[in-house]
């Protein structure tokens, strides 16, 4: 299994995989996954860590953002193709992302996991994340049509 930084040519594949994941949806009014134009810009950005796991094609991906001013990283998405889950690919993606974030100067990393996603919680906890409070209401506002659900 090869874990590498995503390149612009991976954008279409990441988009197609990500938009099939209903768990990525946060409201009924916004897109389920990142718009393709946003992914295309993100893969070229210095403040985004976008990784792919490939074997016989792309088997999974991870997207994280880094805020240099706050020295904080946020794991946005981890996805592994359903046929390839339970092989540790998610763990490899997360470990590599944490290495890259540390190299950038990151001092704190967080993520949000849907309630009831025990396998996702387990992945993070086995990688040193601590469980926090179970509270929040997702609020968002689209400032561009690219995020509006069509």
């Amino acid at each position: 299994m090869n874990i590498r930084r995503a390149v612009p040519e991976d954008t279409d594949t990441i988009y197609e995989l990500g938009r099939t994941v209903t768990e990525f949806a946060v409201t009924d009014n916004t897109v389920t996954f990142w718009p393709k134009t946003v992914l295309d810009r993100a893969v070229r950005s210095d403040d985004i860590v976008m990784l792919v796991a490939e074997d016989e094609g792309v088997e999974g991906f991870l997207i994280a953002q880094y805020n240099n001013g706050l020295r904080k990283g946020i794991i946005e998405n981890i996805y592994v193709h359903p046929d390839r889950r339970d092989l540790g690919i998610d763990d490899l993606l997360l470990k590599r992302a944490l290495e890259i974030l540390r190299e950038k100067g990151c001092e704190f990393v967080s993520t949000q996991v849907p309630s009831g996603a025990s396998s996702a919680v387990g992945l993070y906890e086995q990688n040193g994340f601590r469980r926090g409070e179970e509270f929040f209401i997702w609020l968002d506002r689209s400032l561009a049509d690219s995020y509006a659900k069509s």
Side-chain angles (χ1 to χ4, degrees):
M1 183 63 51
N2 181 36
I3 306 296
R4 63 170 174 79
R5 285 186 182 260
V7 295
E9 293 76 23
D10 295 317
T11 302
D12 287 341
T13 302
I14 292 169
Y15 176 75
E16 291 302 322
L17 293 172
R19 71 187 197 110
T20 66
V21 182
T22 57
E23 293 86 359
F24 288 162
V26 290
T27 72
D28 291 335
N29 300 323
T30 55
V31 294
T32 302
F33 189 58
W34 303 104
K36 191 186 287 189
T37 55
V38 171
L39 285 174
D40 189 53
R41 201 171 40 251
V43 76
R44 293 170 166 78
S45 176
D46 290 338
D47 62 346
I48 300 297
V49 176
M50 194 177 302
L51 303 173
V52 294
E54 63 181 357
D55 191 13
E56 297 177 22
V58 174
E59 308 287 351
F61 65 84
L62 179 144
I63 301 172
Q65 63 172 298
Y66 176 60
N67 183 310
N68 187 49
L70 296 175
R71 299 270 195 228
K72 179 183 179 192
I74 301 173
I75 307 297
E76 296 284 353
N77 307 101
I78 296 180
Y79 170 84
V80 176
H81 193 281
D83 296 340
R84 304 289 286 167
R85 294 183 182 162
D86 297 323
L87 299 176
I89 296 170
D90 53 354
D91 191 58
L92 293 171
L93 285 163
L94 183 57
K95 281 180 170 37
R96 182 64 186 125
L98 294 173
E99 289 172 5
I100 292 169
L101 288 167
R102 189 175 291 114
E103 290 166 6
K104 288 180 169 288
C106 186
E107 297 176 7
F108 180 79
V109 181
S110 67
T111 192
Q112 297 174 356
V113 177
S115 58
S118 58
S119 62
V121 171
L123 167 69
Y124 288 108
E125 287 181 336
Q126 76 184 20
N127 279 281
F129 285 70
R130 292 182 307 269
R131 188 183 302 237
E133 296 291 328
E134 290 189 33
F135 68 92
F136 77 81
I137 297 173
W138 183 276
L139 300 164
D140 66 25
R141 179 177 172 190
S142 295
L143 298 178
D145 291 339
S146 59
Y147 280 90
K149 199 174 214 176
S150 53

